[in-house]
Structures are given as C-alpha cells and as structure tokens.
Amino acid sequence: EAQVTQNPRYLITVTGKKLTVTCSQNMNHEYMSWYRQDPGLGLRQIYYSMNVEVTDKGDVPEGYKVSRKEKRNFPLILESPSPNQTSLYFCASSLSPDRVNEQFFGPGTRLTVL
Amino acid sequence: GNSVTQMEGPVTLSEEAFLTINCTYTATGYPSLFWYVQYPGEGLQLLLKATKADDKGSNKGFEATYRKETTSFHLEKGSVQVSDSAVYFCALNAGGTSYGKLTFGQGTILTVHP
C-alpha cells in the first residue's frame, strides 16, 4: 500500500530536549516536505526536499533541521524544542516538485513541548 | 507574496443544505488552485483542482470555479452529508520562484448535523 508514515504519532516532551520525528514513504517520490498546522494559520511549510541531499527552507524553518540521506526518509529534527513548537506536524511526498498538488500526506504527529 | 484567505469558520449545517466556503487569493502570475479536505485524525487529501482561469474543478459533488477577475475559488456543494464533516483548505501553487511550494489558507471547519 502506498503511504507516508510518521513516528511517533503523539509526543510530549520538555523544553530543550532534542527530538526527531521520522517520515518515510514507499512510493519512490523525489519531493518531500514538512508542514506544521496551527489553529487559524492553516498549514505552513517548514522545510522541503527536491531529492536526496537537496533540502531548502520553507516559510517557518527557525528551530528545525532536516536531512535527506536516502530517498525514502526525511526526518525532522528539533535540536532544542520550545513551547512555541507545540503543533501538529505533517510530512508529505509527491513524485516530483511539479506535482506538489498530488502530495500524499502522512497521518500527522501531535507534539507538545512543556 | 502569495497568500490565501478563507472564510471564517466554523460552519455548521444540516444534512442536505447548500454549502459555500469562500476562498480568495493573492499571487503573482497565474497560480493553480486547489481544495484539500482533512477528515478527523487524518492527513490532507486533494479534493479538486483548477489550473487556469474559468476552469471548474469537481469531485464527490463538490465544485469550485477559478475566477481570475475576482481572484476567487469558492467551494460549493448542493447537498451536504454528515460524512462531509471535515476541515477544508484552499491552496495555491504559484510556480516560478515558488516552484514545488503550496500556500494554504487557514482552513474552515465544517460540521454537518443529521
């Protein structure tokens, strides 16, 4: 089954404790992206990747890091989480950047930073 | 820059009522426009799209027409069902320097009662 998986689905942590949210897709997609969803703000792009070893900042990259060492994986790293990073996070992938509207979205990771 | 504005929610309707969710946009060039739906506990799914002026996107009884003169892409459905209860996002892809990037509106929560 074609899918985007994220782990963990739920995470409660404390300020400053490094964490990683994993994202994996099994569709051989080139393009992957991370979004955060906040009430009243919709989805905002954090980082995206056009292909392996190619990543770029989205609209709200501060406080986040990503890597793309393999095509299928695109982990999101919070080196020193803060309460303003409490949010619902979605990973997404598409075959190529020009098919971004056909993105497959993961189920989401709800992060709470205390 | 590019932006999408949706009508304030939440929207509460009775089954079989007519639905309109307004969406207007600001973009350089000629963007492609989309509506996404997010069911409870899930990621986003593409509902419909329109890639040029006067195009009408349609799917599952929902329709939206790309109106360049009013920079709008309002979502409509003639008779809603309880199963349509979800969050709806309007989005655009402006291409050019925004290649591979989606800009989302803030989302509109729809609740349909029996």
Side-chain angles (χ1 to χ4, degrees), chain A residues 36-97:
Chain A
R36 59 178 289 174
Q37 181 180 1
D38 302 291
L41 295 176
L43 273 76
R44 295 177 293 169
Q45 190 177 48
I46 303 170
Y47 269 95
Y48 62 96
S49 170
M50 299 278 196
N51 214 324
V52 176
E53 302 292 1
V54 181
T55 63
D56 212 340
K57 295 178 181 179
D59 295 319
V60 289
E62 294 76 21
Y64 304 94
K65 284 175 56 177
V66 294
S67 68
R68 188 94 182 271
K69 294 183 170 51
E70 312 163 89
K71 201 170 191 178
R72 63 185 293 125
N73 296 324
F74 190 45
L76 179 70
I77 303 155
L78 284 72
E79 295 270 3
S80 182
S82 62
N84 64 10
Q85 292 178 296
T86 293
S87 188
L88 180 58
Y89 291 87
F90 287 100
C91 180
S93 73
S94 63
L95 192 61
S96 62

Side-chain angles (χ1 to χ4, degrees), chain B residues 14-67:
Chain B
S14 297
E15 208 163 25
E16 299 184 5
F18 184 84
L19 168 71
T20 300
I21 300 177
N22 291 338
C23 170
T24 57
Y25 67 90
T26 302
T28 53
Y30 302 94
S32 295
L33 302 173
F34 313 97
W35 277 100
Y36 285 82
V37 59
Q38 183 183 31
Y39 297 106
E42 298 182 11
L44 277 69
Q45 302 172 32
L46 180 64
L47 180 61
L48 54 84
K49 66 180 181 181
T51 57
K52 61 184 189 296
D54 300 325
D55 266 3
K56 177 185 280 188
S58 61
N59 186 23
K60 299 181 181 180
F62 292 89
E63 292 181 340
T65 301
Y66 189 144
R67 299 286 187 203

Side-chain angles (χ1 to χ4, degrees), chain A residues 38-42, chain B residues 4-8 87-89 104-108:
Chain A
D38 302 291
L41 295 176
Chain B
V4 176
T5 302
Q6 291 180 229
M7 65 185 289
E8 294 286 333
V87 184
Y88 292 81
F89 292 93
F104 287 90
Q106 67 267 44
T108 301

